[in-house]
PDB file of all heavy atoms in Angstrom:
ATOM      1  N   VAL A 129     -37.410  30.045  97.527  1.00 74.00           N
ATOM      2  CA  VAL A 129     -38.146  30.063  96.279  1.00 74.00           C
ATOM      3  C   VAL A 129     -39.218  31.191  96.407  1.00 74.00           C
ATOM      4  O   VAL A 129     -40.122  31.211  97.343  1.00 74.00           O
ATOM      5  CB  VAL A 129     -38.922  28.703  95.960  1.00 74.00           C
ATOM      6  CG1 VAL A 129     -39.733  28.837  94.698  1.00 74.00           C
ATOM      7  CG2 VAL A 129     -37.840  27.629  95.931  1.00 74.00           C
ATOM      8  N   GLY A 131     -42.414  33.236  96.292  1.00 65.00           N
ATOM      9  CA  GLY A 131     -43.775  32.777  96.186  1.00 65.00           C
ATOM     10  C   GLY A 131     -44.251  31.680  97.101  1.00 65.00           C
ATOM     11  O   GLY A 131     -45.429  31.429  97.304  1.00 65.00           O
ATOM     12  N   ASN A 132     -43.303  30.947  97.745  1.00 68.00           N
ATOM     13  CA  ASN A 132     -43.630  29.823  98.526  1.00 68.00           C
ATOM     14  C   ASN A 132     -43.954  30.438  99.966  1.00 68.00           C
ATOM     15  O   ASN A 132     -43.830  31.596 100.233  1.00 68.00           O
ATOM     16  CB  ASN A 132     -42.598  28.781  98.685  1.00 68.00           C
ATOM     17  CG  ASN A 132     -41.335  29.252  99.246  1.00 68.00           C
ATOM     18  OD1 ASN A 132     -41.260  30.350  99.844  1.00 68.00           O
ATOM     19  ND2 ASN A 132     -40.317  28.414  99.241  1.00 68.00           N
ATOM     20  N   GLU A 133     -44.442  29.623 100.836  1.00 65.00           N
ATOM     21  CA  GLU A 133     -44.996  30.068 102.153  1.00 65.00           C
ATOM     22  C   GLU A 133     -43.897  30.876 103.046  1.00 65.00           C
ATOM     23  O   GLU A 133     -44.201  31.848 103.610  1.00 65.00           O
ATOM     24  CB  GLU A 133     -45.564  28.857 102.929  1.00 65.00           C
ATOM     25  CG  GLU A 133     -46.229  29.312 104.221  1.00 65.00           C
ATOM     26  CD  GLU A 133     -46.941  28.094 104.926  1.00 65.00           C
ATOM     27  OE1 GLU A 133     -47.067  27.077 104.297  1.00 65.00           O
ATOM     28  OE2 GLU A 133     -47.273  28.328 106.070  1.00 65.00           O
ATOM     29  N   ILE A 134     -42.674  30.358 102.988  1.00 70.00           N
ATOM     30  CA  ILE A 134     -41.656  30.960 103.822  1.00 70.00           C
ATOM     31  C   ILE A 134     -41.371  32.404 103.404  1.00 70.00           C
ATOM     32  O   ILE A 134     -40.897  33.215 104.126  1.00 70.00           O
ATOM     33  CB  ILE A 134     -40.316  29.998 103.828  1.00 70.00           C
ATOM     34  CG1 ILE A 134     -39.451  30.618 104.923  1.00 70.00           C
ATOM     35  CG2 ILE A 134     -39.619  30.162 102.516  1.00 70.00           C
ATOM     36  CD1 ILE A 134     -38.259  29.665 105.132  1.00 70.00           C
ATOM     37  N   SER A 135     -41.513  32.638 102.057  1.00 68.00           N
ATOM     38  CA  SER A 135     -41.334  34.036 101.562  1.00 68.00           C
ATOM     39  C   SER A 135     -42.223  35.058 102.102  1.00 68.00           C
ATOM     40  O   SER A 135     -41.968  36.254 102.127  1.00 68.00           O
ATOM     41  CB  SER A 135     -41.322  34.030 100.059  1.00 68.00           C
ATOM     42  OG  SER A 135     -42.668  33.831  99.539  1.00 68.00           O
ATOM     43  N   LEU A 136     -43.286  34.577 102.711  1.00 68.00           N
ATOM     44  CA  LEU A 136     -44.247  35.492 103.407  1.00 68.00           C
ATOM     45  C   LEU A 136     -43.516  36.200 104.542  1.00 68.00           C
ATOM     46  O   LEU A 136     -43.995  37.278 105.021  1.00 68.00           O
ATOM     47  CB  LEU A 136     -45.478  34.868 103.871  1.00 68.00           C
ATOM     48  CG  LEU A 136     -46.542  34.361 102.806  1.00 68.00           C
ATOM     49  CD1 LEU A 136     -47.520  33.455 103.417  1.00 68.00           C
ATOM     50  CD2 LEU A 136     -47.161  35.624 102.162  1.00 68.00           C
ATOM     51  N   PHE A 137     -42.523  35.586 105.165  1.00 75.00           N
ATOM     52  CA  PHE A 137     -41.860  36.114 106.254  1.00 75.00           C
ATOM     53  C   PHE A 137     -40.530  36.804 105.916  1.00 75.00           C
ATOM     54  O   PHE A 137     -39.696  36.993 106.677  1.00 75.00           O
ATOM     55  CB  PHE A 137     -41.476  34.989 107.278  1.00 75.00           C
ATOM     56  CG  PHE A 137     -42.801  34.292 107.798  1.00 75.00           C
ATOM     57  CD1 PHE A 137     -43.245  33.128 107.139  1.00 75.00           C
ATOM     58  CD2 PHE A 137     -43.504  34.813 108.804  1.00 75.00           C
ATOM     59  CE1 PHE A 137     -44.379  32.529 107.571  1.00 75.00           C
ATOM     60  CE2 PHE A 137     -44.658  34.184 109.260  1.00 75.00           C
ATOM     61  CZ  PHE A 137     -45.109  32.992 108.622  1.00 75.00           C
ATOM     62  N   LYS A 138     -40.474  37.162 104.689  1.00 85.00           N
ATOM     63  CA  LYS A 138     -39.313  37.972 104.106  1.00 85.00           C
ATOM     64  C   LYS A 138     -39.833  39.271 103.585  1.00 85.00           C
ATOM     65  O   LYS A 138     -40.044  39.455 102.332  1.00 85.00           O
ATOM     66  CB  LYS A 138     -38.641  37.156 103.014  1.00 85.00           C
ATOM     67  CG  LYS A 138     -38.154  35.800 103.455  1.00 85.00           C
ATOM     68  CD  LYS A 138     -37.110  35.714 104.487  1.00 85.00           C
ATOM     69  CE  LYS A 138     -36.763  34.346 104.877  1.00 85.00           C
ATOM     70  NZ  LYS A 138     -35.711  34.290 105.960  1.00 85.00           N
ATOM     71  N   MET A 141     -38.138  40.701 100.388  1.00 88.00           N
ATOM     72  CA  MET A 141     -37.775  39.744  99.372  1.00 88.00           C
ATOM     73  C   MET A 141     -38.015  40.399  97.879  1.00 88.00           C
ATOM     74  O   MET A 141     -37.316  40.149  96.993  1.00 88.00           O
ATOM     75  CB  MET A 141     -38.572  38.544  99.408  1.00 88.00           C
ATOM     76  CG  MET A 141     -38.044  37.418  98.548  1.00 88.00           C
ATOM     77  SD  MET A 141     -38.685  35.807  98.869  1.00 88.00           S
ATOM     78  CE  MET A 141     -37.684  34.767  97.714  1.00 88.00           C
TER      79      MET A 141
END
Side-chain angles (χ1 to χ4, degrees):
V129 178
N132 64 11
E133 187 173 344
I134 194 173
S135 67
L136 288 171
F137 300 95
K138 308 292 181 182
M141 191 165 186

